[in-house]
Amino acid sequence: MDPQSTQYISSRRTGGAFDSSSTRQLDMWADSFKADNSPRTGTSSNMEGDAKVDKSEDANRGTVVVSRSSDQEANKPSDKVLRRLAQNREAARKSRLRKKAYVQQLETSRVKLSQLEQELERARQQGIYIGGSSGDHISSANGAANAGAAAFDLEYAHWVEEQNRQISDLRAALTAHVTDIELRILVEGGMAHYDALFRMKSVAAKADVFHLVSGMWKTPAERCFMWMGGFRPSELLKILKPQLEPLTEQQVMSVDNLQHSSQQAEDALSQGMEALQQSLAETLAAGSLGASNVANYMGHMAMAMGKLGMLENFVHQADNLRQQTLQQMSRILTTRQAARGLLAMGDYFSRLRALSSLWAARPREPA
């Protein structure tokens, strides 16, 4: 081993310092180490940039969410609209309840009438079996007619009470300026109420048509204006027309045409009724008025009974005309006009009833 090698080894063993070349080598390794670690600094910068982008996107998302929330708040219905919708639903619910109660009331009256008819039929059959006289037949027939008339009078009294409630609701609705939807519910209820009256009268006409024609189910003042068991459609149109103004030209023309056609139908029915009355009188007066010829008497009475059966048909036709006139008017008018028309009709009939009450309670001079 040469002296230099021996000196190098000796220096390593003794822990001597590195020479300058070793120092330079260490510096080169440090620079190389820094160069190797420099990309990490770039990666860290990129991560910070990505974090900034993410924060920006989150901020944008927050702006969009806030914007959508603002749009939803703007599109949310106001408290006034919500209250109006709630009022509409409540009005519709009350109308359905009233209609249901009225239908149940009619059904109860119908059952009672059916029971009365059955009891009268059993009594009539027992009377025929026991006595078999014509007086029993007449008594049973009169009993059935009276029962039918009494049942109709009771149903009509309930009908008038319900009409008064409907008129009160219509007046309150028109005063409060409710929506057309609420008014339409009330108008349809009023029209259905009149339809129920015509059905009641149809049943009553089969039981006792004379009771309907006489008008004894109405007040005295109403009977002054009766025509074939009810009101004259043409006269009612004359009363209602001023209450419905303003009307368009087309509406005025339609109402005038309806009034004219109603007048023609009324004239035709009135002429038919006069012809029936004249024919009936001639039949009853034909032949001898004495009761000596029983066969002749019974023959003429049978003919008179056949002709008298047409009276029920005339009452049905008159009610059909009244019903069709009301339905046609509801199609001509707007919802608000139809509501005013029903209100005017109810007030008119109510005034007639009030007039009868005042007339009955008038002071009288002592006899």
Short mmCIF file of all heavy atoms in Angstrom, two decimals, residues 323-353:
data_model
loop_
_atom_site.label_atom_id
_atom_site.label_comp_id
_atom_site.label_asym_id
_atom_site.label_seq_id
_atom_site.Cartn_x
_atom_site.Cartn_y
_atom_site.Cartn_z
N GLN A 323 -140.37 25.72 -16.60
CA GLN A 323 -139.02 25.20 -16.40
C GLN A 323 -138.11 25.53 -17.58
O GLN A 323 -136.96 25.95 -17.39
CB GLN A 323 -139.09 23.69 -16.18
CG GLN A 323 -137.77 23.06 -15.80
CD GLN A 323 -137.93 21.58 -15.48
OE1 GLN A 323 -138.89 20.94 -15.91
NE2 GLN A 323 -136.98 21.03 -14.75
N GLN A 324 -138.60 25.36 -18.80
CA GLN A 324 -137.79 25.67 -19.98
C GLN A 324 -137.47 27.15 -20.07
O GLN A 324 -136.37 27.53 -20.51
CB GLN A 324 -138.51 25.20 -21.24
CG GLN A 324 -138.61 23.69 -21.37
CD GLN A 324 -139.46 23.26 -22.55
OE1 GLN A 324 -139.88 24.08 -23.36
NE2 GLN A 324 -139.74 21.97 -22.65
N THR A 325 -138.41 28.00 -19.67
CA THR A 325 -138.15 29.44 -19.69
C THR A 325 -137.02 29.81 -18.74
O THR A 325 -136.13 30.60 -19.08
CB THR A 325 -139.43 30.21 -19.33
OG1 THR A 325 -140.47 29.87 -20.25
CG2 THR A 325 -139.19 31.72 -19.38
N LEU A 326 -137.04 29.25 -17.53
CA LEU A 326 -135.97 29.52 -16.58
C LEU A 326 -134.62 29.01 -17.08
O LEU A 326 -133.59 29.70 -16.96
CB LEU A 326 -136.29 28.88 -15.23
CG LEU A 326 -137.46 29.48 -14.43
CD1 LEU A 326 -137.70 28.69 -13.15
CD2 LEU A 326 -137.18 30.94 -14.10
N GLN A 327 -134.60 27.83 -17.66
CA GLN A 327 -133.35 27.28 -18.18
C GLN A 327 -132.81 28.11 -19.33
O GLN A 327 -131.60 28.34 -19.44
CB GLN A 327 -133.56 25.83 -18.61
CG GLN A 327 -133.84 24.88 -17.45
CD GLN A 327 -134.18 23.48 -17.90
OE1 GLN A 327 -134.37 23.22 -19.10
NE2 GLN A 327 -134.27 22.55 -16.97
N GLN A 328 -133.71 28.55 -20.21
CA GLN A 328 -133.27 29.38 -21.34
C GLN A 328 -132.72 30.73 -20.86
O GLN A 328 -131.73 31.23 -21.39
CB GLN A 328 -134.44 29.60 -22.31
CG GLN A 328 -134.07 30.29 -23.60
CD GLN A 328 -133.10 29.48 -24.45
OE1 GLN A 328 -133.04 28.26 -24.32
NE2 GLN A 328 -132.35 30.15 -25.30
N MET A 329 -133.34 31.30 -19.85
CA MET A 329 -132.85 32.56 -19.30
C MET A 329 -131.45 32.39 -18.71
O MET A 329 -130.59 33.28 -18.86
CB MET A 329 -133.81 33.07 -18.23
CG MET A 329 -135.02 33.80 -18.79
SD MET A 329 -134.57 35.35 -19.64
CE MET A 329 -134.02 36.34 -18.26
N SER A 330 -131.21 31.28 -18.04
CA SER A 330 -129.88 31.06 -17.45
C SER A 330 -128.81 30.93 -18.52
O SER A 330 -127.64 31.24 -18.27
CB SER A 330 -129.91 29.80 -16.58
OG SER A 330 -130.08 28.64 -17.36
N ARG A 331 -129.19 30.47 -19.71
CA ARG A 331 -128.22 30.37 -20.82
C ARG A 331 -127.98 31.73 -21.48
O ARG A 331 -126.90 31.98 -22.00
CB ARG A 331 -128.69 29.35 -21.85
CG ARG A 331 -128.56 27.91 -21.38
CD ARG A 331 -128.82 26.94 -22.52
NE ARG A 331 -130.22 26.87 -22.87
CZ ARG A 331 -131.08 25.99 -22.36
NH1 ARG A 331 -130.67 25.11 -21.46
NH2 ARG A 331 -132.34 25.97 -22.73
N ILE A 332 -128.98 32.58 -21.48
CA ILE A 332 -128.83 33.90 -22.11
C ILE A 332 -127.98 34.83 -21.24
O ILE A 332 -127.15 35.58 -21.75
CB ILE A 332 -130.23 34.52 -22.35
CG1 ILE A 332 -131.00 33.70 -23.40
CG2 ILE A 332 -130.10 35.97 -22.80
CD1 ILE A 332 -132.43 34.15 -23.58
N LEU A 333 -128.17 34.75 -19.93
CA LEU A 333 -127.53 35.71 -19.02
C LEU A 333 -126.14 35.24 -18.60
O LEU A 333 -125.80 34.06 -18.70
CB LEU A 333 -128.40 35.88 -17.78
CG LEU A 333 -129.84 36.34 -18.00
CD1 LEU A 333 -130.60 36.36 -16.69
CD2 LEU A 333 -129.87 37.71 -18.67
N THR A 334 -125.36 36.19 -18.13
CA THR A 334 -124.08 35.86 -17.50
C THR A 334 -124.33 35.30 -16.10
O THR A 334 -125.47 35.34 -15.60
CB THR A 334 -123.18 37.09 -17.41
OG1 THR A 334 -123.80 38.05 -16.53
CG2 THR A 334 -122.97 37.72 -18.78
N THR A 335 -123.28 34.81 -15.48
CA THR A 335 -123.44 34.24 -14.14
C THR A 335 -123.95 35.28 -13.15
O THR A 335 -124.86 35.03 -12.35
CB THR A 335 -122.09 33.68 -13.65
OG1 THR A 335 -121.66 32.65 -14.54
CG2 THR A 335 -122.22 33.12 -12.24
N ARG A 336 -123.38 36.48 -13.21
CA ARG A 336 -123.79 37.53 -12.28
C ARG A 336 -125.22 37.99 -12.57
O ARG A 336 -126.00 38.29 -11.65
CB ARG A 336 -122.81 38.69 -12.35
CG ARG A 336 -122.81 39.62 -11.14
CD ARG A 336 -121.53 40.42 -11.07
NE ARG A 336 -120.39 39.56 -10.83
CZ ARG A 336 -119.99 39.21 -9.62
NH1 ARG A 336 -120.61 39.67 -8.55
NH2 ARG A 336 -118.94 38.42 -9.47
N GLN A 337 -125.59 38.09 -13.84
CA GLN A 337 -126.96 38.47 -14.19
C GLN A 337 -127.95 37.41 -13.76
O GLN A 337 -129.04 37.73 -13.27
CB GLN A 337 -127.05 38.71 -15.70
CG GLN A 337 -126.36 39.97 -16.17
CD GLN A 337 -126.33 40.07 -17.69
OE1 GLN A 337 -126.37 39.06 -18.40
NE2 GLN A 337 -126.26 41.29 -18.20
N ALA A 338 -127.59 36.14 -13.93
CA ALA A 338 -128.48 35.06 -13.50
C ALA A 338 -128.69 35.08 -11.99
O ALA A 338 -129.80 34.83 -11.50
CB ALA A 338 -127.91 33.71 -13.94
N ALA A 339 -127.63 35.40 -11.26
CA ALA A 339 -127.76 35.51 -9.80
C ALA A 339 -128.71 36.64 -9.43
O ALA A 339 -129.57 36.50 -8.55
CB ALA A 339 -126.38 35.73 -9.18
N ARG A 340 -128.58 37.77 -10.12
CA ARG A 340 -129.50 38.89 -9.86
C ARG A 340 -130.93 38.53 -10.25
O ARG A 340 -131.90 38.96 -9.60
CB ARG A 340 -129.03 40.12 -10.63
CG ARG A 340 -127.79 40.78 -9.99
CD ARG A 340 -127.07 41.67 -10.98
NE ARG A 340 -127.97 42.56 -11.71
CZ ARG A 340 -127.65 43.17 -12.85
NH1 ARG A 340 -126.44 42.97 -13.38
NH2 ARG A 340 -128.51 43.95 -13.45
N GLY A 341 -131.09 37.75 -11.31
CA GLY A 341 -132.42 37.34 -11.73
C GLY A 341 -133.09 36.43 -10.70
O GLY A 341 -134.27 36.61 -10.37
N LEU A 342 -132.34 35.45 -10.18
CA LEU A 342 -132.90 34.58 -9.14
C LEU A 342 -133.24 35.38 -7.89
O LEU A 342 -134.26 35.12 -7.23
CB LEU A 342 -131.90 33.47 -8.82
CG LEU A 342 -131.73 32.38 -9.86
CD1 LEU A 342 -130.59 31.44 -9.47
CD2 LEU A 342 -133.03 31.59 -10.05
N LEU A 343 -132.39 36.34 -7.57
CA LEU A 343 -132.66 37.18 -6.41
C LEU A 343 -133.94 38.00 -6.61
O LEU A 343 -134.77 38.12 -5.70
CB LEU A 343 -131.47 38.10 -6.14
CG LEU A 343 -131.60 39.08 -4.97
CD1 LEU A 343 -131.80 38.32 -3.67
CD2 LEU A 343 -130.36 39.97 -4.88
N ALA A 344 -134.12 38.55 -7.81
CA ALA A 344 -135.32 39.34 -8.10
C ALA A 344 -136.57 38.47 -8.05
O ALA A 344 -137.62 38.90 -7.54
CB ALA A 344 -135.18 40.00 -9.47
N MET A 345 -136.48 37.24 -8.58
CA MET A 345 -137.63 36.33 -8.52
C MET A 345 -138.01 36.03 -7.07
O MET A 345 -139.19 36.06 -6.70
CB MET A 345 -137.30 35.02 -9.25
CG MET A 345 -137.36 35.10 -10.75
SD MET A 345 -136.94 33.50 -11.51
CE MET A 345 -138.19 32.45 -10.79
N GLY A 346 -137.00 35.69 -6.27
CA GLY A 346 -137.28 35.38 -4.87
C GLY A 346 -137.88 36.55 -4.13
O GLY A 346 -138.82 36.38 -3.33
N ASP A 347 -137.37 37.75 -4.39
CA ASP A 347 -137.92 38.94 -3.73
C ASP A 347 -139.37 39.21 -4.16
O ASP A 347 -140.21 39.62 -3.35
CB ASP A 347 -137.05 40.17 -4.05
CG ASP A 347 -135.75 40.16 -3.26
OD1 ASP A 347 -135.68 39.44 -2.25
OD2 ASP A 347 -134.81 40.87 -3.66
N TYR A 348 -139.65 38.97 -5.45
CA TYR A 348 -141.00 39.22 -5.96
C TYR A 348 -142.02 38.30 -5.28
O TYR A 348 -143.06 38.75 -4.77
CB TYR A 348 -141.03 39.02 -7.46
CG TYR A 348 -142.41 39.13 -8.07
CD1 TYR A 348 -143.05 40.36 -8.17
CD2 TYR A 348 -143.07 38.00 -8.55
CE1 TYR A 348 -144.33 40.46 -8.72
CE2 TYR A 348 -144.33 38.09 -9.10
CZ TYR A 348 -144.95 39.31 -9.18
OH TYR A 348 -146.21 39.41 -9.73
N PHE A 349 -141.72 37.00 -5.23
CA PHE A 349 -142.64 36.06 -4.60
C PHE A 349 -142.71 36.30 -3.09
O PHE A 349 -143.77 36.12 -2.47
CB PHE A 349 -142.21 34.62 -4.88
CG PHE A 349 -142.34 34.24 -6.34
CD1 PHE A 349 -141.29 33.63 -7.00
CD2 PHE A 349 -143.51 34.50 -7.03
CE1 PHE A 349 -141.41 33.28 -8.33
CE2 PHE A 349 -143.64 34.15 -8.38
CZ PHE A 349 -142.58 33.54 -9.03
N SER A 350 -141.60 36.72 -2.50
CA SER A 350 -141.62 37.02 -1.07
C SER A 350 -142.51 38.23 -0.77
O SER A 350 -143.22 38.26 0.25
CB SER A 350 -140.18 37.29 -0.58
OG SER A 350 -140.16 37.62 0.78
N ARG A 351 -142.52 39.21 -1.66
CA ARG A 351 -143.38 40.38 -1.46
C ARG A 351 -144.85 40.02 -1.60
O ARG A 351 -145.70 40.55 -0.87
CB ARG A 351 -143.01 41.47 -2.47
CG ARG A 351 -141.65 42.11 -2.20
CD ARG A 351 -141.32 43.17 -3.22
NE ARG A 351 -140.00 43.75 -2.98
CZ ARG A 351 -139.48 44.73 -3.70
NH1 ARG A 351 -140.17 45.26 -4.70
NH2 ARG A 351 -138.28 45.21 -3.41
N LEU A 352 -145.14 39.08 -2.51
CA LEU A 352 -146.53 38.64 -2.63
C LEU A 352 -146.99 37.95 -1.35
O LEU A 352 -148.13 38.16 -0.88
CB LEU A 352 -146.68 37.69 -3.82
CG LEU A 352 -146.67 38.33 -5.21
CD1 LEU A 352 -146.74 37.26 -6.28
CD2 LEU A 352 -147.83 39.31 -5.37
N ARG A 353 -146.13 37.11 -0.78
CA ARG A 353 -146.50 36.45 0.48
C ARG A 353 -146.64 37.46 1.61
O ARG A 353 -147.53 37.34 2.46
CB ARG A 353 -145.44 35.39 0.82
CG ARG A 353 -145.45 34.19 -0.13
CD ARG A 353 -144.59 33.07 0.40
NE ARG A 353 -143.16 33.39 0.35
CZ ARG A 353 -142.37 33.08 -0.67
NH1 ARG A 353 -142.86 32.47 -1.75
NH2 ARG A 353 -141.08 33.38 -0.64
#
